[in-house]
Amino acid sequence: MGQMRTLLLASMGLLLAGCFGEEDGETIRLSGETMGTTYNVVAVDVSPDVTETELAVAVEETLKAVNASMSNWDKASEVSLFNADDTTEPMTISAEFAHVMAAADQIHAQSGGKFDVTLFPLIELWGFGAKKPGEPIPSDAEIAEALTHVDQGGLVTLDGETLAKADPKVSVNLSAIAKGYGNDAVARTLQDYGVENYLVEIGGDLVSAGKNDKGEPWKIGIETPDNSSNDIEMVLPVSNLGMATSGDYRNFFEQDGVRYSHLIDPTTGRPITHRATSVTVLAQSGMLADGWATAMMVLGEIEGLRVAEDNDLAVFFISRGAAGSDQEYVKQASSAFEKLRTAK
């Protein structure tokens, strides 16, 4: 999904740390390109009956199926056909597409509308789609016009495995959640082949299960949100969880002395301006971690932590210090994140 590149760049704060060591069993490592970014798979203790080629083909086929359903760059994909339909007639969609839309609707509701898969008109308007940075900043009137086609809760309705839009011009873009679903889909494929210990990573977001090839929990590093370094803020033991990081420090533009983040608030139509610069989310699936990471960055550290506590979400914010503060960054974690971080 090449169009996902805009939001994928926000999730590159996850680095694999300490994953590899002496191999006790058969470990297979696979990598490639998908969804406008790269993927990496580490499968540990793979049965001798399963060849690397067999597993590689299965993973590629799984990712192709996700793209065929949810890629906005593939004009024949389910989501593209839905967007191209200039009527408001309900469309039958696959169970997989419906599953992702249901999760998107849940996050949209629980985040107070800060996560919205109909956001694309604003992404384009602000220069993170076909329009290029450097062109005039959108006017209030242009923002207001784009907002008339942005409202996941009011303009798109999921009913079982049918999807309908109230406005023919509404489009759905799953770039902030489909990558995480892709991780989950690959994880299920590995499980189908009897693999119980694995790590799947797409564009910095990941899911893991069991142990690495040293017999230890997978260890994942959270990157300090600084383009001038690759420093690691902390390393977490992460197993049987999805993990995603979103930030505003890799994809933005500056014009006339003003910094414009690629992360746009769907309720205002404007880029975020709060101090949060990075957020990491741990969840029971890669899909939920991916979607909530974007939602949390739009919410910001104050409102985001409140929502995290209300919904028992494991969230870790890194924010810029206040003007005149001697702290370059301020770190804040939800209760659920602290429990996972300190769990033995």
Side-chain angles (χ1 to χ4, degrees), residues 302-322:
I302 297 174
E303 185 66 9
L305 285 170
R306 185 193 67 75
V307 171
E309 296 297 339
D310 288 347
N311 294 281
D312 195 31
L313 299 170
V315 172
F316 174 69
F317 276 99
I318 302 177
S319 307
R320 299 178 187 85

Side-chain angles (χ1 to χ4, degrees), residues 12 17 22 69 109 206 244 276 336:
M12 295 303 291
E22 293 299 320
S69 179
L206 59 90

Side-chain angles (χ1 to χ4, degrees), residues 112-128:
K114 297 297 186 179
F115 180 88
D116 196 308
V117 298
T118 67
L119 190 66
F120 192 67
L122 289 166
I123 294 173
E124 263 199 325
L125 185 65
W126 279 97
F128 296 101

Side-chain angles (χ1 to χ4, degrees), residues 66 70 96 99-100 177-185 188 286-287:
V66 175
M70 302 172 203
E96 293 75 20
H99 176 64
V100 174
I177 194 170
K179 178 162 53 91
Y181 173 77
N183 277 326
D184 296 334
R188 286 192 295 273
M287 175 181 65

